[in-house]
Amino acid sequence: MNFLRNIFKKAGGRTEFNIEVYIKKHLKEVNDKVPMLEERYGKDFFSFFYRHDADEMIRRELLKVLEFSASSLDCLDNDHWPQKHPFNFPGTFYTGESDSCGTGETEAPFNVLFDANCQEYVFKQPQSYAELLCVIDAGAVEVFDSYSCNGNKYWTYSQCKNWWAGKADLIYQLNDSALKEMNRGREQLYIDYLNSDAEYDLRRYCFFLENNFYPGDGVALPDL
């Protein structure tokens, strides 16, 4: 069962694990690291993030910059493309078969959701340094090491178009009653995204895949 549904108590119920308090604390810790990353890599997050060697940069450099412990440095090393969850939004990060502990929501509340079996997937690629750190943290605490950051090596323009063609079916699946119960209404974040900014974001990602750089404003984008 999703541990986020459980209220952890001690000694007659005098203390509780508070999800909202944890998320607030975690987001503050993440945002405190952003100035350091902006100074090191620049304030243009999209130019920093969208690069074909993103997986090598994240795994070999960024985790060390973030001072991850030695035991966590390999948290994104596994290639899960053959087991990729179909709900993952195209991009750098994706998940394979995760555990069912439900840790993704607390670590990356703006980027990770669950299916009906509490399998995690990335419903929105990071759009800021803070969201990037959150998704990395989600990968670091996932017991099965099911997160990968080498999606740029696999996604193609054609594959992205085929994935987008299944949008209506994905929205239908996101409205499954068991999935909605698992996410406690948060699945609406994905549905709203798919019906708003997702197409534009995916077209920009396709431009990147085709041209090896992320487009600025006013650039003609490929159709889906």
Side-chain angles (χ1 to χ4, degrees), residues 22-46:
Y22 176 86
I23 291 176
K24 183 177 180 180
K25 178 176 180 292
H26 179 244
L27 292 180
K28 181 182 184 306
E29 292 172 348
V30 162
N31 279 286
D32 285 345
K33 297 175 183 177
V34 169
M36 178 269 290
L37 296 180
E38 290 181 337
E39 181 177 356
R40 186 181 183 100
Y41 297 111
K43 293 189 176 182
D44 186 347
F45 170 75
F46 293 104

Side-chain angles (χ1 to χ4, degrees), residues 136-193:
I136 290 174
D137 284 343
V141 302
E142 207 284 312
V143 174
F144 291 168
D145 284 344
S146 69
Y147 280 70
S148 297
C149 59
N150 63 352
N152 297 341
K153 291 184 175 180
Y154 291 105
W155 284 108
T156 65
Y157 176 29
S158 176
Q159 287 175 325
C160 288
K161 287 197 295 183
N162 289 338
W163 186 90
W164 185 252
K167 169 190 167 184
D169 182 61
L170 175 56
I171 291 176
Y172 176 81
Q173 294 183 72
L174 290 171
N175 278 296
D176 173 73
S177 59
L179 184 146
K180 293 174 73 171
E181 181 182 0
M182 184 64 67
N183 287 281
R184 308 181 323 282
R186 292 184 66 252
E187 75 287 341
Q188 192 63 41
L189 293 171
Y190 202 0
I191 295 171
D192 291 344
Y193 179 53

Side-chain angles (χ1 to χ4, degrees), residues 1 6 10-11 48 57 65 110 118 134 150 156 164 173 195 214:
M1 176 180 289
N6 295 329
K10 298 180 182 178
F48 160 77
M57 181 274 296
V65 169
F110 306 118
C118 204
C134 284
N150 63 352
T156 65
W164 185 252
Q173 294 183 72
N195 287 324
Y214 201 71

